[in-house]
Amino acid sequence: MTTPTPTTSGSPSPLRRVGLYATLVTLALIFLVPLVWMVITSLKTYTAAQQIPPSWLPNPIAGYGYEQILNNTANPVLRWFLNSMLAATLHSLLVLVTASMAAYALARLKFRGRGVSFALIVGTLFIPPTSLIIPNFLIVDQLNWIDTLAVVVVPGAASAFGVFFLRQFFLSLPDELEEAATLDGANQWQIFFKVVLPLSKPALATLAVLSFLTNWNDFLWPIFVLFSPEKLTLPPGLGLLQGSYVTDYPVIMAGAVLASLPVLILFVLAQRHIIQGVSRSGLKG
C-alpha cells in the first residue's frame, strides 16, 4: 500500500511561479535599463552619443563628460553636489527630530484634541505643494533666508507624512515596554529617547531616506529662492548644462550619474531597515 505524497497547501504551481518570476524580471529591466543607458552614455564621446542608431557599448570609452563637469568653472557642478548633500542631510535630520517628537505625542500621550490635531496634520497632505510656494517665499524673505542654505533646509522640515508614518510605527510597539520603563522610574523623555527611539531604527531609517530623496530631487523650490550660481543645488544646477542650441548628452548624463550615486548608495546601505520600517508601520491604526 503506497502512502500519498503530501502537498504543500498554498504553494504556487510551477506555471504561476514562472509567471511571477517573469513579471519580476520585466519590472527589474524597466527600472534598470534607463540607469544602464545613463551610465553608458556618460562614457561616450560627444560624436558617439549623437550616432543614429545608438550603440549600447561606448566605443571608445571616454571620460569626456566627467572631464567637462570637473573642469567647468562657469557651472560648478561639484559645488552644487556639496550644497545638495549638505542641504539634504540637514533637512533629513530636522525631519527626524520634528516628526519623531510629534508622532510620539500623538501615538502615546493622551491629551484633549489629539485626534483633531492628527486629522489636521494628515489633512495638510492633500494641499498641493505648488500652492504654498508664494506664502513660503514671503516668509523666508522676511527671515532674510533668500539665497542661503537655510532656505532649502528648514521649509518642509515639519513633515506631515513623517508624523503619520512614525505614529503608525509607534502604535505597533508593545505598551508593556513603556509600562516597565515607568516602573523603573523613567520619565517621559527617558522613555522616548532610551526605549522608543532605539526600537524605531527601521522606521527612522526609512523616513531619513525618503526625506533625503525628497530634498535631493527638489527642483522647483530652489529655482525660486536660490540666485547665485555657487549657491545652487544639483537639480536646478544640472538644468544649466542644457545648451540653448546643442545638447551635450555625455555631460548631462555624467551629471545625472553624479546625482544618482548618493541616493543609490544610501538605499543599498539602508534597504534592510527600509523594508522593516515599511512592513511594520501599518500593523496598527
Side-chain angles (χ1 to χ4, degrees):
M1 181 177 180
T2 58
T3 304
T5 304
T7 58
T8 304
S9 60
S11 61
S13 63
L15 184 60
R16 291 186 60 186
R17 189 174 302 173
V18 170
L20 176 61
Y21 285 136
T23 303
L24 293 176
V25 170
T26 303
L27 290 175
L29 289 176
I30 291 174
F31 285 101
L32 289 178
V33 167
L35 293 177
V36 174
W37 182 254
M38 175 182 68
V39 175
I40 290 174
T41 306
S42 70
L43 296 175
K44 291 182 178 181
T45 61
Y46 175 79
T47 304
Q50 304 290 333
Q51 288 180 351
I52 298 176
S55 170
W56 272 98
L57 296 178
N59 186 21
I61 297 177
Y64 159 76
Y66 297 96
E67 291 175 1
Q68 292 295 315
I69 284 180
L70 295 176
N71 300 325
N72 194 333
T73 55
N75 297 317
V77 178
L78 290 182
R79 179 63 181 269
W80 299 340
F81 178 85
L82 294 176
N83 290 343
S84 289
M85 282 291 295
L86 185 59
T89 302
L90 294 176
H91 176 79
S92 300
L93 293 175
L94 279 177
V95 169
L96 291 181
V97 171
T98 58
S100 61
M101 290 194 288
Y104 178 74
L106 293 170
R108 295 301 193 183
L109 303 184
K110 295 181 180 180
F111 57 91
R112 182 177 298 177
R114 183 178 65 169
V116 175
S117 301
F118 178 66
L120 290 175
I121 292 173
V122 174
T124 61
L125 292 173
F126 299 95
I127 300 177
T130 52
S131 66
L132 301 176
I133 290 180
I134 299 302
N136 286 338
F137 182 88
L138 295 176
I139 293 173
V140 297
D141 183 45
Q142 291 295 321
L143 295 173
N144 294 321
W145 285 357
I146 297 296
D147 206 24
T148 65
L149 181 65
V151 79
V152 290
V153 173
V154 179
S159 170
F161 171 78
V163 173
F164 170 77
F165 182 78
L166 290 182
R167 175 186 176 272
Q168 299 304 108
F169 189 91
F170 292 160
L171 288 174
S172 69
L173 298 177
D175 297 335
E176 291 78 11
L177 295 174
E178 296 183 48
E179 294 172 0
T182 303
L183 292 176
D184 289 338
N187 57 35
Q188 207 68 58
W189 282 104
Q190 290 172 328
I191 294 174
F192 175 65
F193 283 111
K194 296 183 178 181
V195 177
V196 175
L197 289 186
L199 294 173
S200 305
K201 289 180 181 179
L204 294 174
T206 303
L207 182 59
V209 172
L210 295 176
S211 302
F212 185 95
L213 184 61
T214 300
N215 188 275
W216 180 268
N217 290 331
D218 194 5
F219 178 82
L220 187 61
W221 175 246
I223 288 179
F224 279 89
V225 294
L226 297 177
F227 306 113
S228 303
E230 69 276 4
K231 297 292 182 62
L232 288 176
T233 54
L234 202 54
L238 291 179
L240 300 178
L241 299 179
Q242 172 71 40
S244 301
Y245 305 102
V246 178
T247 301
D248 198 335
Y249 290 108
V251 174
I252 294 175
M253 291 302 172
V257 170
L258 186 66
S260 302
L261 280 178
V263 177
L264 294 175
I265 294 173
L266 183 61
F267 177 77
V268 169
L269 295 177
Q271 61 177 333
R272 180 170 60 88
H273 294 298
I274 292 175
I275 294 172
Q276 292 178 2
V278 172
S279 62
R280 291 190 57 187
S281 60
L283 289 179
K284 189 175 181 180

